[in-house]
Amino acid sequence: MLEDVQERLVYRTHIYIQTDITGYNPAPGDLAYPEKLEMMERIAQSLKEEQMKQMSQESVFSDVQLEDADGRRNSNAGSVEPSRLHTSVSPADLHGMWYPTVRRTLVCLSKLYRCIDRAVFQGLSQEALSACIQSMLKASDIILKNKTQIDGQLFLIKHLLILREQIAPFHTDFAIKEISLDLKKTRDAAFKILNPKAVPKFFRLNSHNAILEFLLEGTPEIKEHYIDSKKDVDRHLKFSCEQFIQQQTQIFVGNLEEFLTKVSALKTMAVQGGPTYSLSQQPWAQPAKINDIVMATYRVMKSKLPSTLQSMSLYLANRDTEFILFKPVRNNIQQVFQRLHNLLQEEYSGEDLQIIACPSVEQINLLLSVNK
């Protein structure tokens, strides 16, 4: 009876994964990012302010009505409340704010974990997590098209982090072994038989006999490979973070990187025997042109950096995670400006440097630290 119940449970789980996770059709509200996070944040902030206001009124009332000793006790008790408010959960981390397929996958796995054999659970968890990842990728693409690129990327990063964190308590291996047949040798041997040039050699007892090659070398190979859904989550998370870092670096200092790449190519040509050059005489490298590029890059950083960090705070809601994700972007920006300063000192004279109003490395570091 127990085996029948488990078999029925596994069957219903397969159906549930296909219909409610793989086949999930998101409603407009499911993809309303970042609006739903901003709305929840405003509600949480208003509730917090209301509680603080109520606490201050109660504190004033207790100071008037109670004796000194009781007043001190109430004051100490009241001092605990603000700290409790500061540790409230961010809207991005609320269970109800998770993308529906993520919530359904984790609830499904938590219910199955102690109900079925471990080997069966491994297979179901792999199927559920793979379907969940695919649904998140689709949702991320829709958000990216309807909103902005950073919204789609941070939505995916946040939910992959949730998925990785929530499956960690399951003390099981999320890897399954799959067996497949490799028919490549069989196909190649069959093509040799069908080759008209091989027909006269069918009855020769040597190594050029196509029939013998088919019998001896055309045996299909059995191959084993492992699918680890937990590593799949980590792989998608790593790729998403790298893509975010690369694209944010391109947004902030892409023009400067393009200019430095052209200079590097020019230097390489000269080293390999090409014509000598004077960088300041190049039409695209005149001091006024460089000044325009630098000023445009600095304006982009000042205007877009605060909004980028605000979006990271809204989606990720964890200072440590935000710092880890943005640190490579900050390092890339610093390296690009350091390379630019070294180039200007090597290639341009004092008069040209006066035309190029390039911010110092310290100013760049200050800008990045203020918005950290």
Side-chain angles (χ1 to χ4, degrees):
M1 182 181 292
L2 181 60
E3 291 179 355
D4 291 341
V5 171
Q6 287 192 349
E7 184 177 351
R8 182 65 178 172
L9 187 59
V10 170
Y11 171 73
R12 293 305 307 170
T13 303
H14 278 296
I15 299 299
Y16 180 79
I17 292 173
Q18 293 297 320
T19 57
D20 291 59
I21 299 178
T22 302
Y24 178 71
N25 187 22
D30 297 330
L31 303 173
Y33 286 89
E35 291 83 2
K36 62 192 305 182
L37 292 178
E38 293 172 346
M39 180 188 67
M40 292 298 296
E41 194 174 60
R42 288 194 297 267
I43 293 174
Q45 183 65 26
S46 62
L47 290 175
K48 180 179 176 181
E49 292 175 355
E50 186 67 24
Q51 290 178 3
M52 294 291 291
K53 182 179 179 181
Q54 185 178 359
M55 286 168 50
S56 63
Q57 291 175 350
E58 291 176 355
S59 177
V60 172
F61 179 77
S62 63
D63 288 343
V64 174
Q65 295 294 328
L66 301 179
E67 296 179 358
D68 291 342
D70 292 336
R72 284 194 296 271
R73 284 197 296 270
N74 285 328
S75 176
N76 292 333
S79 65
V80 179
E81 293 297 330
S83 63
R84 191 190 310 172
L85 292 173
H86 285 298
T87 58
S88 61
V89 179
S90 168
D93 292 323
L94 293 175
H95 181 271
M97 297 297 292
W98 295 353
Y99 189 63
T101 56
V102 175
R103 187 168 61 249
R104 293 175 182 181
T105 300
L106 295 173
V107 171
C108 177
L109 293 180
S110 65
K111 290 182 177 180
L112 292 174
Y113 181 55
R114 299 189 183 277
C115 299
I116 57 179
D117 295 336
R118 176 168 294 189
V120 179
F121 177 79
Q122 290 175 359
L124 288 176
S125 63
Q126 193 278 328
E127 182 182 355
L129 288 175
S130 296
C132 183
I133 291 173
Q134 293 304 314
S135 70
M136 287 192 297
L137 292 173
K138 292 179 182 178
S140 175
D141 290 338
I142 296 173
I143 294 173
L144 188 146
K145 292 176 183 177
N146 294 338
K147 299 298 179 180
T148 63
Q149 187 178 64
I150 193 173
D151 288 315
Q153 291 174 334
L154 291 177
F155 165 86
L156 182 59
I157 291 173
K158 177 62 179 179
H159 283 86
L160 287 171
L161 286 170
I162 291 172
L163 205 60
R164 186 179 68 170
E165 179 184 3
Q166 295 297 320
I167 64 176
F170 295 114
H171 300 292
T172 185
D173 189 2
F174 286 88
I176 62 172
K177 181 173 70 174
E178 287 193 350
I179 299 176
S180 61
L181 285 177
D182 186 359
L183 301 176
K184 184 177 183 298
K185 289 185 176 180
T186 307
R187 182 193 61 189
D188 294 342
F191 282 150
K192 288 182 179 180
I193 291 180
L194 298 176
N195 189 347
K197 295 181 180 180
V199 175
K201 302 178 182 179
F202 278 171
F203 301 100
R204 294 182 182 179
L205 298 178
N206 55 32
S207 60
H208 298 290
N209 190 318
I211 295 179
L212 290 178
E213 287 186 21
F214 180 80
L215 294 175
L216 298 176
E217 301 179 5
T219 306
E221 290 186 338
I222 298 176
K223 290 190 174 182
E224 296 181 355
H225 60 279
Y226 288 84
I227 299 177
D228 193 331
S229 52
K230 192 172 184 179
K231 290 183 178 179
D232 202 27
V233 173
D234 293 336
R235 181 174 60 83
H236 279 91
L237 179 59
K238 179 182 178 182
F239 177 77
S240 300
C241 291
E242 290 175 348
Q243 191 177 41
F244 174 84
I245 293 166
Q246 179 183 358
Q247 292 177 350
Q248 290 303 310
T249 302
Q250 177 66 26
I251 289 173
F252 290 127
V253 291
N255 291 336
L256 279 182
E257 282 191 318
E258 183 179 352
F259 169 76
L260 293 172
T261 301
K262 292 173 68 174
V263 173
S264 178
L266 192 64
K267 286 185 175 182
T268 302
M269 291 175 58
V271 170
Q272 295 177 351
T276 58
Y277 70 94
S278 174
L279 192 59
S280 60
Q281 300 300 320
Q282 301 293 324
W284 49 270
Q286 293 179 1
K289 293 276 189 180
I290 299 177
N291 182 68
D292 293 340
I293 296 174
V294 172
M295 289 297 99
T297 300
Y298 193 71
R299 285 194 296 269
V300 168
M301 290 177 57
K302 290 196 68 174
S303 62
K304 293 189 175 182
L305 192 57
S307 61
T308 298
L309 296 176
Q310 184 179 1
S311 295
M312 293 178 64
S313 176
L314 183 65
Y315 281 91
L316 303 179
N318 184 291
R319 285 299 184 95
D320 293 336
T321 305
E322 296 164 31
F323 177 80
I324 292 171
L325 182 58
F326 191 73
K327 183 179 178 180
V329 180
R330 187 173 67 250
N331 291 342
N332 291 342
I333 294 173
Q334 292 171 337
Q335 290 173 8
V336 167
F337 273 95
Q338 185 62 58
R339 287 167 56 197
L340 177 64
H341 276 278
N342 294 339
L343 173 68
L344 295 179
Q345 295 297 326
E346 293 174 1
E347 300 289 342
Y348 292 88
S349 62
E351 295 180 357
D352 293 336
L353 292 177
Q354 292 179 357
I355 299 176
I356 305 172
C358 183
S360 63
V361 177
E362 290 75 15
Q363 288 176 308
I364 297 300
N365 293 339
L366 180 61
L367 175 64
L368 294 172
S369 63
V370 168
N371 293 281
K372 183 165 59 176

